[in-house]
Amino acid sequence: MLKNYIKLALKVMLRKKYYTILSLAGIGFTIMIITVFATFIDQVIGENSAEPERNRTLILDKVSVYNQGKKEDGFPSIHFLKKYVSDLESTEVISFITNKSYISFSKGKPTGHYLVYTDEHFWEITDFEFLEGRSFNRKEVENGDRVLIINKRTREHFFGDQAATGKELRVYGEKFKVIGVVTSGAAFSRVNADMILPYSMDKNLQGLEGPIQGSYSAMLLARSDNPKQVRSELRAKMRLLTNKISGADSLKAYAFTPLEQFAKSSSFTDQEPEYGKTAISFFIILLLFMLIPAISLINLNLSRIGERAEEIGVRKSFGATSATLVGQLVVENVILTLVGGIIGLALAAYATGLLVHIINTFDPLFKMPADSFIINWRVLALSIFSCLVFGLLSGVYPAWKMSKLNPVYALKGGQNHD
Amino acid sequence: MIQLINIEKIYRTKTIETIALNKVNLQINKGEFVAIMGPSGCGKSTLLNIIGLLDSPTAGSISIDGQEVSSFSNRKLAAFRNFKLGFIFQSFHLINDLSVLDNVELPLLYRSGVSGAERKKKALEALEKVGLSTRTKHYPSQLSGGQRQRVAIARAIVGSPEVILADEPTGNLDSVMGEEVMNIMLELNKTDGTTIIMVTHDDNMANKTERIIRFFDGQQVN
Ligand SMILES: Nc1ncnc2c1ncn2[C@@H]1O[C@H](COP(=O)(O)OP(=O)(O)OP(=O)(O)O)[C@@H](O)[C@H]1O
Ligand SMILES: [Mg+2]
């Protein structure tokens, strides 16, 4: 049965070229946008080769300090993290890392680089591929050695196609020795920096870092796949600090995986996040976005009822039930949308490249790598899922309407209903 | 085989009421070849559609094979049409997007448990019977009127129905092709014992059948 439906669907598509092209264009464009959007989100939350453990890596990047009825939110300070968060039992490794800071070198043409300070554990949580050299170790961090790791595009910028290891670079007026070169990570990820330095070289350490709040975050690699355990240990630890630190009656620390951070409904609680609302609103946005093209396709399908009335009449005469007809017509429509979806994916692959190009044109300092948006299997799954939803959304009503045609009228080419 | 009791069909619109069938009582036996005749608008097609379970009467009862069908659900009516009835229309009503073979296989698609190979085999047999086994890959638009109607006959008989309902099957054909189509139906009636009910305006065709039922203004007149 299904094979026949598919066969017929393809035949109908080939014969009704105008209709097919019109529908495919609409569907293709819709799926393209969804796919491009999905590649962007995937960058922010998905695992990638540099961050293979993202789903059990919690980012602690917010601390609320409650003091005399007032609440103040901010990044934790390195002192706070070292003192209270460095020995969680539920975590395997903890790494401290600054936010990206922007540093501009001019050497002929304008270019900008992102710089982060971190510790040796950074290299345990991430899995950057080293093109040359090595990472820095504990000793170098403790000693405050002037070493740094750069990524590929930074190497290209400063050294062309030559090796960089052993060479020197000036950062904020001080000389550093390049000891390693890594590939780039996901463009929007916090670990994707152009220059990675030991945090002992961070000048802010003297200035901005207070006893509780400052400019650091912690990456906590959970022992199990369940980030809840880390959070509950963290909450317990924060409770113990109540009234123990001057200037803070009580404290809350927030740690979530990138996916949780994206998916949770509220950012104002350190409790277990709820995903229901976000999932629903995400789905609703997806639906709303597909609604207008879907309505157009519904209209197009409805306008073809007359054209297909004879066929419906014949099928009914020879024993097709309304249900089978709905099945046939919906399958036809889903196949149409799947073909449109494939076109949309191809367009998306092109569009993501174009998008990078445009971003780089408007912001020459940023120089995003061309493969910043990747259509991986997760994105693919979302696109195909959207296609199916689109196919059902636009197919069910016209199919139902067609299946209700009275066969006698339908065979006369009319459109009256039962 | 087919029994109609007091069948009435009234078409009502806002302004007019047309009595298309007026208290029709009719019995058609298994294996009969019946011609229905009468002037245009007398209700022949309406009658055929009601017997074919494509339309329901305003009043009266129909039984086919001893089963009263007016209480049947839509699903059951569809199954009944699929297993017991085969239609042939004046304007062929083939599906243009499908090949001859696919057109003929169509009724078997709606029968569960018929494999693709079996469908094909039966469709080829039916096409053999109407002398078109060499045209299976053609599309309807590539065939002559007579050939199209023969494809339609193959489609009507592929599921071995007990009754064939033909509404002016030769109406759109010239006399030679009409003759051919008629001969095929006569052969079906004789060898397979298929009951055939045929609406026609053509006396020559009607005279070849066993019984002529004449209608006038929604009523049987003989
Ligand atoms: N859908 C309808 N709505 C209103 N009246 C209808 C409808 N269908 C048929 N009629 C009327 O019912 C009567 C019988 O029509 P029917 O089609 O059965 O005639 P017929 O005998 O088949 O005619 P012909 O030989 O021209 O095909 C006609 O008066 C026709 O106008
Ligand atoms: Mg008629």
Side-chain angles (χ1 to χ4, degrees), chain A residues 408-409 412 416, chain B residues 9 11-13 16 18-21 38-47 49 55 90 167-168 199 201:
Chain A
V408 175
Y409 288 100
K412 285 183 189 160
N416 291 48
Chain B
K9 181 71 184 182
Y11 290 109
R12 287 196 180 89
T13 59
I16 41 166
T18 314
I19 303 178
L21 293 174
S40 184
C42 70
K44 305 181 295 295
S45 295
T46 306
L47 180 74
N49 289 336
D55 209 350
Q90 177 175 0
D167 196 348
E168 300 188 44
V199 171
H201 283 288

